Amino acid sequence: ATSWIHAAVQFDFELRIAEYPALMYLVQNIQIAPLGREPAECFVVHGVQFDQAGRYRNKAESPITFTETIQGHFYRAIRDWVMNKRYLTVTLTLCGESKPAGTKDTSTPYEDCWLELDGVDLSAEDNTLIKPSGTLHINWIGHDGENSQPATWGQQ
């Protein structure tokens, strides 16, 4: 059997927020949360020291830049998110040209997230007019894929 590898040649990341189900957001830049464990320093017989994989590190801070158009629905929602100190459930999906809806394996749920905005770039060079950027603070990362769902981008 031949397996084809499809690269993500179209750089679209769909961001869904469970608490805002009617809105779908495009993310221009984001860092997927790291996957790792805290180092646990151990000492054994005769004072020999070694490190082990300790507790699971399940929080992160990811720089993020959103894409918004002239309507401003999303910008209003993220201002509400910040100003009213909301903790939201977010799903990030990589949507490539060969898989416009993404897959379960390219979707990552983040829970209890809060947002901090750095500033908003205004752009007339492309179709994007407003580019809010900041830091997404993530308090639970669903790396296991258990709650991941493919996106709906391109299915409408």
Side-chain angles (χ1 to χ4, degrees), residues 9-151:
V9 295
Q10 175 185 352
F11 300 106
D12 285 336
F13 301 91
E14 177 186 298
L15 186 80
R16 288 282 183 167
I17 300 174
E19 292 80 3
Y20 296 95
L23 298 176
M24 175 178 49
Y25 317 104
L26 283 180
V27 174
Q28 188 170 23
N29 295 307
I30 191 168
Q31 181 183 59
I32 294 176
L35 177 62
R37 293 186 167 275
E38 297 289 335
E41 188 176 84
C42 299
F43 294 91
V44 293
V45 180
H46 304 293
V48 175
Q49 175 186 357
F50 66 97
D51 289 338
Q52 294 183 9
R55 66 178 184 226
Y56 179 55
R57 189 180 316 129
N58 203 30
K59 72 177 197 78
E61 293 180 358
S62 292
I64 188 168
T65 301
F66 299 101
T67 300
E68 176 65 289
T69 57
I70 199 164
Q71 293 181 3
H73 300 302
F74 177 63
Y75 187 46
R76 182 180 331 119
I78 63 172
R79 285 193 321 251
D80 175 64
W81 188 359
V82 174
M83 295 300 295
N84 292 306
K85 195 177 161 182
R86 301 193 190 284
Y87 290 84
L88 304 177
T89 304
V90 171
T91 301
L92 177 69
T93 302
L94 168 64
C95 304
E97 215 170 73
S98 61
K99 293 281 187 183
T103 67
K104 188 174 182 175
D105 294 325
T106 61
S107 298
T108 306
Y110 300 139
E111 295 184 26
D112 296 324
C113 300
W114 58 280
L115 182 66
E116 179 178 14
L117 287 179
D118 294 335
V120 178
D121 293 332
L122 302 177
S123 172
E125 296 175 2
D126 52 18
N127 291 334
T128 303
L129 297 177
I130 301 171
K131 295 180 181 178
S133 61
T135 303
L136 182 65
H137 298 270
I138 304 162
N139 286 310
W140 181 264
I141 306 164
H143 278 301
D144 61 0
E146 182 179 319
N147 295 319
S148 297
Q149 296 295 324

